[in-house]
Amino acid sequence: MTEAKIERIKTDDLHFDHLNPRLAEYGIGEHLGEDEILSILWDAMDVQELVQSISASGFFEHEALIVSNEGGSDLVIEGNRRLAAVKVLRSPDLAKEKGWQVPKLKEAERKKLDTLPAIRATREESWRYLGFKHVNGPAKWGSYAKAVYIAQVHRDYGVPLAAIANQIGDRHRTVQRLFRGLMVLEQAERAKVFNREDRFHKHLSFSHLYTGLDYDGIADFLGIAAKEDESPNPVPKAKLRELGELCVWMYGSRKELKEPVVKSQNPDLRQLNAVVGNIEAREALRAGSPLNKAFDISRSPREVFESALMAAKRELTTARAQLTIGYDLSETLARVAREIADLADDLYQEIERKRSTSAGRTKKSRPAN
């Protein structure tokens, strides 16, 4: 931005920005009124924390809002949470109606909030500052909000992704990865193979998608374009069915009563990556098998055996550590322990038999001196 000049603007004249990328995570569009947006901000973005701070210390003058006048309205393009906190403090009746616990200000303190410090700037003038602060800087947004913001700058101002990355100090191709993830999600919706409003859970775990697209198995499954590609359609038409499947596996479907198979990135996302790269495992997942079972199919017998053996050791170690205080002399548990011991003994005997047999074959195959 050019040299910033702070002025005071009447709080009643300041409005929430429907285009704010962080609000986009919660489906806020132009149809929502100010009170509805205020409720979403209070519930989802910890406005109460700012209410407590402002009531105790006032509104810090050096933390001026950034305001853009659009269509005759002053929109707060930076500082929506702070504006929400001030509006709540100035409207005790609204807070009471909503059931929000808000400190009561003295009249003199409340009057100080009738105007707020603000810097007037257009969106185009301020994108570099906002991008650094919220994409790669000290006050980071969620991954979906970052992606929406990057897309806005790229589309509205024609700034190449590499230039955006350079301006905000991104050295890890985060800008390209976020943008590609958003393009994939939007492409799925345009192709009507997925509808994000139909996702099973309220929260959109966008990081699952943009992170997963970097994995070789998922990338090959979709035939996706490289990170640097700025196309709005990174997935080939021939792979749109697979794109829809992937989105449902990641986000589920309320209409079809399908929960997402990816609950967390570790280990679920990596397991899904292995599954989609294996024909038999992929078909098992399509048929309704749990992700962990489909993942086992994708692995070699050696991997499955080793993983099961190490998991058994970890669980038995935990049980042994809790024996003194956790065992209540139960006959059932004693019988289970005996069965485990028999299984372990049988397993060990079979391992030794295979090792002996293998050693014998090796010895026989050696040529005589």
Side-chain angles (χ1 to χ4, degrees):
M1 293 186 293
T2 56
E3 186 176 350
K5 178 184 177 183
I6 298 178
E7 61 179 277
R8 296 197 73 86
I9 300 178
K10 289 183 178 180
T11 304
D12 288 338
D13 292 339
L14 295 172
H15 302 283
F16 297 119
D17 176 22
H18 292 78
L19 299 179
N20 184 286
R22 198 176 187 195
L23 299 182
E25 290 188 86
Y26 300 92
I28 292 177
E30 293 184 9
H31 63 285
L32 284 182
E34 297 272 304
D35 283 356
E36 292 174 291
I37 295 177
L38 187 58
S39 294
I40 292 173
L41 288 169
W42 181 275
D43 292 336
M45 299 189 192
D46 202 14
V47 170
Q48 187 170 11
E49 175 187 60
L50 288 175
V51 165
Q52 297 296 331
S53 173
I54 294 172
S55 66
S57 307
F59 194 101
F60 294 131
E61 296 296 308
H62 65 278
E63 290 191 346
L65 308 173
I66 298 179
V67 176
S68 175
N69 189 277
E70 299 175 12
S73 295
D74 283 334
L75 304 180
V76 175
I77 60 176
E78 166 63 6
N80 281 271
R81 287 175 70 237
R82 281 171 282 154
L83 177 62
V86 170
K87 284 182 177 287
V88 171
L89 284 167
R90 294 178 70 246
S91 306
D93 289 342
L94 175 64
K96 184 177 180 181
E97 177 188 327
K98 299 283 189 180
W100 299 338
Q101 298 299 315
V102 176
K104 187 175 181 180
L105 297 183
K106 294 180 180 179
E107 183 62 22
E109 296 301 316
R110 195 185 68 80
K111 283 189 69 66
K112 290 180 182 179
L113 300 177
D114 287 348
T115 62
L116 294 175
I119 298 169
R120 290 193 179 275
T122 66
R123 293 180 191 272
E124 188 168 4
E125 288 171 336
S126 57
W127 77 260
R128 292 172 179 83
Y129 166 73
L130 298 181
F132 171 75
K133 182 178 181 182
H134 295 302
V135 177
N136 203 40
K140 293 180 181 179
W141 286 328
S143 57
Y144 181 72
K146 292 178 185 180
V148 169
Y149 188 73
I150 289 164
Q152 285 178 356
V153 172
H154 179 62
R155 291 163 170 168
D156 295 348
Y157 314 133
V159 183
L161 298 181
I164 297 174
N166 185 57
Q167 287 287 339
I168 66 175
D170 171 30
R171 298 289 179 267
H172 305 286
R173 295 192 179 278
T174 303
V175 165
Q176 284 86 350
R177 295 169 61 221
L178 287 167
F179 179 79
R180 184 176 65 165
L182 183 62
M183 293 305 99
V184 168
L185 184 60
E186 290 183 353
Q187 184 182 6
E189 293 194 303
R190 284 195 304 275
K192 300 187 185 307
V193 295
F194 180 70
N195 178 2
R196 84 183 77 176
E197 297 304 318
D198 182 47
R199 64 185 182 272
F200 195 85
H201 297 301
K202 183 177 180 180
H203 178 65
L204 176 69
S205 300
F206 180 69
S207 61
H208 292 353
L209 180 60
Y210 92 83
T211 301
L213 295 176
D214 287 341
Y215 293 174
D216 290 342
I218 291 174
D220 290 344
F221 181 62
L222 296 182
I224 194 170
K227 300 180 190 69
E228 298 78 8
D229 190 293
E230 300 186 5
S231 164
N233 297 298
V235 178
K237 286 184 178 180
K239 290 285 189 174
L240 290 177
R241 177 205 173 206
E242 286 81 357
L243 173 57
E245 288 181 313
L246 182 75
C247 288
V248 172
W249 288 331
M250 287 189 174
Y251 303 118
S253 168
R254 280 186 287 111
K255 183 175 63 177
E256 299 179 15
L257 299 178
K258 288 184 178 179
E259 292 192 43
V261 300
V262 176
K263 313 295 184 186
S264 62
Q265 287 195 25
N266 184 26
D268 295 347
L269 194 57
R270 292 195 177 277
Q271 289 189 358
L272 180 61
N273 179 64
V275 167
V276 298
N278 179 285
I279 295 176
E280 187 179 355
R282 189 167 65 233
E283 290 306 316
L285 189 62
R286 283 171 172 160
S289 291
L291 178 61
N292 63 332
K293 298 301 181 184
F295 176 63
D296 283 344
I297 294 172
S298 74
R299 297 190 297 168
S300 68
R302 182 187 182 282
E303 290 176 312
V304 174
F305 175 75
E306 181 178 333
S307 177
L309 197 61
M310 297 307 293
K313 180 183 177 182
R314 287 193 299 271
E315 294 299 323
L316 286 172
T317 300
T318 300
R320 181 63 184 85
Q322 298 298 317
L323 175 62
T324 303
I325 59 175
Y327 178 52
D328 61 358
L329 304 182
S330 163
E331 179 64 30
T332 299
L333 292 181
R335 186 164 56 252
V336 170
R338 178 68 264 170
E339 291 171 355
I340 290 172
D342 290 342
L343 280 171
D345 186 59
D346 182 64
L347 176 65
Y348 180 73
Q349 294 298 328
E350 184 63 17
I351 287 174
E352 285 299 298
R353 186 189 66 76
K354 291 193 70 172
R355 283 165 55 85
S356 298
T357 302
S358 176
R361 290 199 195 101
T362 302
K363 189 175 182 180
K364 287 180 182 179
S365 66
R366 289 175 183 164
N369 291 332

